[in-house]
Amino acid sequence: MAVLLFAYIKKGRKKKKEGGGGFLSGALSFIVFALASFRLTRLIVFDTISAPFRRLFHEEQEEINEQGEVETYMIIKGKGLRSWVGELLSCYWCTGMWCTAALLVIYILFPLASMWLNLLLAIAAAAGIIEAVVSKLVK
C-alpha cells in the first residue's frame, strides 16, 4: 500500500515539475480520491445493488435479541479464497483499503480514465452525504 501511495505522490510531483498535473492536483486530488474510495467501498459493502455479489461469499442471518431488536450476523461461505473474500466483504475497513489500492493502481496505469471514474464516484459520494445531512435536518 505504501508503495502505491509513494508512486502516486511521485507521479504527481513529476507532472508538477513538467508543468502538467492534469485537471486535479494536490489537496483537491486527495479529496476526490477519498470520496471516490468512500463511495466505492459503500457500494460494495452495503448497497443493495451489489447484494447478489456479496451473497456468493456470505449470507446474512437476522435474529431478534432479548430487547426485541433485530441483529444481523454474517455467515461466511466456503473455504480458502471464497472464505477470504467473504471475510473481506464483511469488513468495511478491509474492503476500503483494497478499494483505495485498486483506485490508485488504476490511476497509475490509466490516469485519464481514472480521474473520470474518481470524479463520478466522488460526486456520487458528495450527493449521498448531502442527502444524509438534509434528511437529518428535515426530521
Side-chain angles (χ1 to χ4, degrees):
M1 186 58 97
V3 172
L4 293 174
L5 185 57
F6 176 74
Y8 166 72
I9 292 168
K10 187 173 180 177
K11 186 173 189 173
R13 286 184 181 159
K14 183 179 177 185
K15 283 185 177 182
K16 203 172 214 179
K17 286 179 185 176
E18 295 169 355
F23 58 100
L24 293 178
S25 60
L28 181 59
S29 182
F30 176 79
I31 291 168
V32 168
F33 267 91
L35 286 169
S37 180
F38 166 75
R39 183 65 198 112
L40 182 59
T41 302
R42 283 199 63 83
L43 179 70
I44 293 170
V45 176
F46 295 115
D47 286 1
T48 306
I49 195 168
S50 57
F53 171 72
R54 290 191 305 270
R55 279 195 293 269
L56 295 172
F57 303 99
H58 61 69
E59 63 183 73
E60 294 180 1
Q61 183 175 346
E62 293 182 349
E63 294 182 6
I64 299 175
N65 65 17
E66 294 173 359
Q67 291 79 28
E69 301 166 335
V70 177
E71 293 182 351
T72 304
Y73 297 95
M74 299 279 185
I75 301 171
I76 307 301
K77 295 180 179 178
K79 294 181 181 180
L81 182 61
R82 186 176 187 192
S83 174
W84 182 80
V85 172
E87 290 286 343
L88 176 73
L89 293 175
S90 69
C91 172
Y92 182 80
W93 296 106
C94 304
T95 304
M97 290 292 291
W98 286 102
C99 286
T100 302
L103 290 174
L104 286 172
V105 168
I106 293 168
Y107 174 74
I108 291 166
L109 298 176
F110 310 102
L112 184 59
S114 166
M115 291 315 300
W116 286 109
L117 173 64
N118 287 343
L119 278 174
L120 173 81
L121 291 167
I123 292 168
I129 292 167
I130 291 167
E131 176 60 32
V133 169
V134 169
S135 294
K136 294 279 185 187
L137 292 175
V138 170
K139 286 183 180 182

